[in-house]
């Protein structure tokens, strides 16, 4: 370690926190394709979307020209309780790796939800409250989104109904209890509280449920109650918009110390964290002002960017949500049961899909054992026990740093550390016991998923 | 909420972090009584202590005159990875309570060990490494101390052997996995790896173990291996010394904004967090420069200050450690199985015992259901899900704020939020399900514990 003028952790002052979210679409020449109504196959209108989502959120979803959206003061006040999140200089990791690279990570795990999900949950809860709603419904798999939404709803006094995939409900009782402690109503899905749930239970007695089924139940439950709307924790453009607070804070902190990253790395599931982190940097690139290398890291078991197609597809297994043009493996694709639940989504946010298709971003896929190896190495020197999802970014950051060691380059590497792994110790136990295995989907499995993509016009709106 | 000139979270700059720990004993007129050798009943010498503990730590344990100890640079570098911890202005809690009081809390949960324990773990690991030791042994109950020590040992490349009370080992497999992820060797206690463990297993087949037994095993294991020493996470004066980093940071942050607390509240188990938080404020009081009201909060099930005696007693159930003059319920006292495992200790740090006996500090005891009620109320408005232990302080902070509401006083209340409750969701579940019960020890139960205190001279060294 040489001079150490840069502190281990850079915190912005409260007064330096972003007051606006940034909408990358405003600077994109090729805009992402519009959402389609699954019944008419025509672009969704604000009115159509508003029957499912909150009005202001629909506006944010559809607006591709406004570059900056003001963050309402109430949301900024909530942000102040757990933000700014630290931008950390990984001095100890650098020393361990003996690399000339300079490694930074933006750590989003310092809040009770344990991840960046809270950034959008509080925004969505705020707009629901402002619209005069009684409550919101949602689904949750691993539980981080459900936890974040429960916290946000508790803060604004909104009812929160969470459909939790049954196997998670049973395997992660502690996640469930955190949500209950925040006053949420948590139902294992499929349940007999909805038509679709009863139907699935009848067809598949004893099923463990799926995210697709939980989404369908949550959407139905929102529609069946007056004053309720459905909310979602990733994939949508509105969510990515809220998550730009991550990148905006990061860029402000780096600018303060005259740091310019060469490589920016994020794990990629639905894309909200990755998109949020890279947004202001990508904006510079889109406007031709600066250049960066962006790398999306996805699990080998769910390689939507690296092995998927860029076409219109259903966003959910139940096919009740709008169609989206995105990199997808097909809404029926069933990823192997790896431990990064937050990355097991068949598609990718439409903005990121377009940027990737236009060559603005690279993508790589990695196996879970190498991810946990990187996670453990990171934890032992940097202290933080990372979530399996976040550890995908760690793995590639370490790889990039080791390349620098070979070449002698002093690259500045930035990655997003989206959350902590406190509720993932079952996965760590499998790794510690040497029982974790990798799986590479065969070409046939990928082809089978892709064959489920609907045959609809892919261009021309 | 009026002006809000004070930010939600006050972070010191890295350059403002404490460079020394503060030893309250230097400013005490009545020094705490010395530790006694359990065999000779004479004050422990540095040499005697050094057979069990690291040399530098023994010096810190015995030194009652040096006011400030330099924090070695290696420890300060590690502190920089997770410190300074935020001093939070509880704006949202104040608004919820509609109190004129100003509430602040120092939050020590933003690190992977989930509590303040890491502050001393890294110091103890550092001195062990510096002494050229191969490793350390310790015991852990709830698991926070074991986790903190595992992290510290991983950082310095020391072997870490943790004896974990068997019922915790089985009930908290995730805590165990965090320790293993950091490379620690975790053994359920009693075990057949030690003489004392085998003896206990023979006498009580199928026993769930106890902290007292785990201590005895850890001490024996340290003695049986060349290059090993035993380390402890609370009660001792050395631990309290390291924890003064909490109070020193708090005071520096408050001074920066011209804030002076009227009431300072901490939960009290072995006393390290409470002592660490109050130290620099108590120093002012001891030197006659300023006045504060200090409140120690203990569980009604383990009321060492409020119902114990100030006498020499054994520090451990196995009676292998030095005798200490302290407020105690007797080393054989068995507290009811309440959920704040970190506060279920029969005694109290000697410095705090003396200060309490001299009237510098108040103490109150509270029941767990009211503690969890306060915890939930706090979590819903302040976001953070607190540990059951920390929530004892929250309960009394809320009570004090409500008194201000009645009287109209604008008191400034400071409390220590020692950690998060992510690994305590079983307890929260019981509370959420309305199944949590309180227990008030009978006078007979207290008397039975006190009757186990050894009959030795209580004065005159």
């Amino acid at each position: 370690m040489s001079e150490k003028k840069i502190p281990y952790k850079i915190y912005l002052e409260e007064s330096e926190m972003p007051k606006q979210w940034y909408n990358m679409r405003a600077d994109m020449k090729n805009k992402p394709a519009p959402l389609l109504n699954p019944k008419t196959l025509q672009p969704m209108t604000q009115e159509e979307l508003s029957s499912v989502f909150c009005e202001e959120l629909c506006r944010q979803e559809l607006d591709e020209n406004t570059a900056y959206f003001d963050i309402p003061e109430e949301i900024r006040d909530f942000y102040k309780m757990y933000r700014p999140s630290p931008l950390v200089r990984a001095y100890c990791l650098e020393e361990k790796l003996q690399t000339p690279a300079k490694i930074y990570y933006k750590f989003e795990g310092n809040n009770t939800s344990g991840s960046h999900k809270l950034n959008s949950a509080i925004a969505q809860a705020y707009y629901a409250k402002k619209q005069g709603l009684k409550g919101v419904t949602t689904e949750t798999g691993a539980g981080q989104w459900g936890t974040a939404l429960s916290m946000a709803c508790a803060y604004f006094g909104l009812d929160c109904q969470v459909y939790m995939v049954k196997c998670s409900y049973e395997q992660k009782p502690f996640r469930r209890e955190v949500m209950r402690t925040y006053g949420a109503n948590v139902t294992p899905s499929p349940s007999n509280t909805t038509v679709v749930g009863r139907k699935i239970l009848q067809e598949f007695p004893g099923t463990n449920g799926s995210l697709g089924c939980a989404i369908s139940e949550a959407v139905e439950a929102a529609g069946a109650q007056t004053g309720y709307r459905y909310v979602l924790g990733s994939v949508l453009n509105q969510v990515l918009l809220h998550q730009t607070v991550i990148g905006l804070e990061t860029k402000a902190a780096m600018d303060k110390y005259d740091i310019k990253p060469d490589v920016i790395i994020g794990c990629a599931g639905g894309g909200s964290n990755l998109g949020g982190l890279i947004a202001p940097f990508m904006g510079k690139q889109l406007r031709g002002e600066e250049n960066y290398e962006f790398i999306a890291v996805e699990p080998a078991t769910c390689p939507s960017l690296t092995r998927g197609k860029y076409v219109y597809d259903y966003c959910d297994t139940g096919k009740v949500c709008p169609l989206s043009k995105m990199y997808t493996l097909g809404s029926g694709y069933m990823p192997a049961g790896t431990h990064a639940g937050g990355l097991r989504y068949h598609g990718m946010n439409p903005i990121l899909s377009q940027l990737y298709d236009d060559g603005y971003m690279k993508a790589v896929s990695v196996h879970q054992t190498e991810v946990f190896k990187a996670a453990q190495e990171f934890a032992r020197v940097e202290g933080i026990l990372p979530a399996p999802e976040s550890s995908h970014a760690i793995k590639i950051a370490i790889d990039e740093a080791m390349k620098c060691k070979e070449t002698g380059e002093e690259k500045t590497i930035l990655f997003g550390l989206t959350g902590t792994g406190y509720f993932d110790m079952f996965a760590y136990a499998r790794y510690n016991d040497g029982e974790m295995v990798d799986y590479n989907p065969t070409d046939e499995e990928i082809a089978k998923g892709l064959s489920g993509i609907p045959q609809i016009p892919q261009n021309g709106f």
Side-chain angles (χ1 to χ4, degrees), chain A residues 297-301 307 338 365-373 391-392 395 436-441:
Chain A
V297 190
E298 52 186 19
T301 51
R307 296 176 76 183
T338 46
S365 75
V366 290
H367 285 290
Q368 64 176 350
T369 50
E370 57 186 351
V371 165
F372 274 83
K373 182 168 178 287
S391 304
H392 284 67
K395 159 66 185 157
M436 185 173 280
V437 289
D438 289 329
Y439 185 73
N440 214 24

Side-chain angles (χ1 to χ4, degrees), chain A residues 138 211-212 215-216 323 352:
Chain A
T138 199
L211 208 53
I215 292 178
S216 305
L323 286 154
L352 293 177

Side-chain angles (χ1 to χ4, degrees), chain A residues 190-341:
Chain A
S191 74
N192 57 16
T193 66
T194 64
V195 176
V196 63
R198 286 191 291 273
K199 193 178 154 203
I200 290 169
L201 282 173
Q202 208 163 21
E203 279 180 49
F204 308 98
T207 174
N208 276 326
S210 72
L211 208 53
C213 171
I215 292 178
S216 305
E217 285 205 85
V219 172
E220 181 187 324
Q225 299 170 91
T226 308
Y228 281 75
R229 289 291 184 283
Y230 167 70
V231 297
L232 189 63
S234 189
V235 187
L236 296 176
N237 295 331
Q238 56 185 267
V239 180
L240 196 146
L241 178 73
H242 307 146
Q243 295 296 357
T244 61
V245 70
I246 303 173
L248 291 161
E249 274 186 14
T250 304
K251 184 140 196 334
M254 291 195 135
D255 286 349
K256 216 172 153 177
Y257 286 86
D258 285 325
I259 307 160
K260 187 189 166 289
D262 298 298
V263 190
I264 305 176
I265 302 163
C267 62
S272 70
N273 129 71
L274 173 68
L277 174 68
I278 69 174
F281 302 98
M282 184 62 85
K284 286 265 177 196
Q285 184 124 334
L286 289 167
R287 295 189 299 271
E289 296 165 9
E290 281 178 7
N291 270 298
Y292 305 93
E293 185 182 356
F294 300 100
I295 308 177
V297 190
E298 52 186 19
T301 51
C302 199
S304 47
L305 289 172
T306 50
R307 296 176 76 183
K309 275 189 185 174
Y310 186 41
V311 289
Y312 266 109
D313 193 13
Y314 296 106
C315 289
D316 60 316
T317 323
K319 304 181 182 179
V320 296
C321 293
L323 286 154
S324 178
K325 188 173 179 187
M326 58 183 178
Y327 273 86
T328 177
L329 296 160
S331 64
Y333 177 75
M334 290 298 292
T338 46
H339 295 290

Side-chain angles (χ1 to χ4, degrees), chain A residues 31 79 370:
Chain A
K31 309 284 184 192
Y79 278 169
E370 57 186 351

